[in-house]
Amino acid sequence: DLPRVLALRDQLATGLRVHQTEPGFGLTVRNGSLLALEPAEAFLSALKPAADGKGAILRVYNPLPTALTVYATPGFAVTEALLSNGAEEYGTPLRVTGNRIKLSVAAKSIASVRLLTR
């Protein structure tokens, strides 16, 4: 099925690379998540700083032939989420509940969201 093939492609092409510093270099937790997406059929297209420096831009891809409800949970505090477009213009506000954002992604398309923090 298409979502599984795309997931395998992404794993083979862009495997996440990590580097652990020497002990004593700093204090932090040793695990965490920058972003969690549900369901598995939703794919991360981009998570990057906004071009204007105000927040981050999240892009989610839906490869399915039907619309998909997606839940995005960033690993950083989000105070506001706004639908955006490819030009990163501000759009319709989305509900942020417990740092979780619900959005609808049309069939075979990408949805962009501006994530704002304080």
Side-chain angles (χ1 to χ4, degrees):
D1 77 59
L2 182 59
R4 287 183 51 208
V5 171
L6 290 173
L8 180 59
R9 178 207 60 192
D10 289 349
Q11 289 173 354
L12 292 173
T14 62
L16 180 63
R17 291 166 182 84
V18 297
H19 176 76
Q20 184 171 330
T21 61
E22 295 298 320
F25 184 72
L27 298 175
T28 186
V29 295
R30 292 191 182 261
N31 60 32
S33 175
L34 185 59
L35 177 76
L37 284 179
E38 296 175 58
E41 291 81 9
F43 289 90
L44 176 65
S45 177
L47 179 60
K48 65 177 204 74
D52 64 6
K54 296 176 184 166
I57 300 296
L58 167 64
R59 293 196 176 109
V60 179
Y61 172 58
N62 172 12
L64 301 177
T66 58
L68 186 62
T69 298
V70 176
Y71 296 92
T73 308
F76 51 92
V78 173
T79 57
E80 192 173 3
L82 304 155
L83 277 178
S84 184
N85 58 22
E88 300 183 8
E89 296 170 330
Y90 289 75
T92 308
L94 297 171
R95 179 175 291 208
V96 179
T97 306
N99 217 49
R100 188 174 185 194
I101 303 152
K102 177 182 176 182
L103 68 143
S104 180
V105 184
K108 297 185 178 186
S109 67
I110 295 174
S112 292
V113 178
R114 182 181 289 260
L115 305 174
L116 298 172
T117 63
R118 289 200 196 259

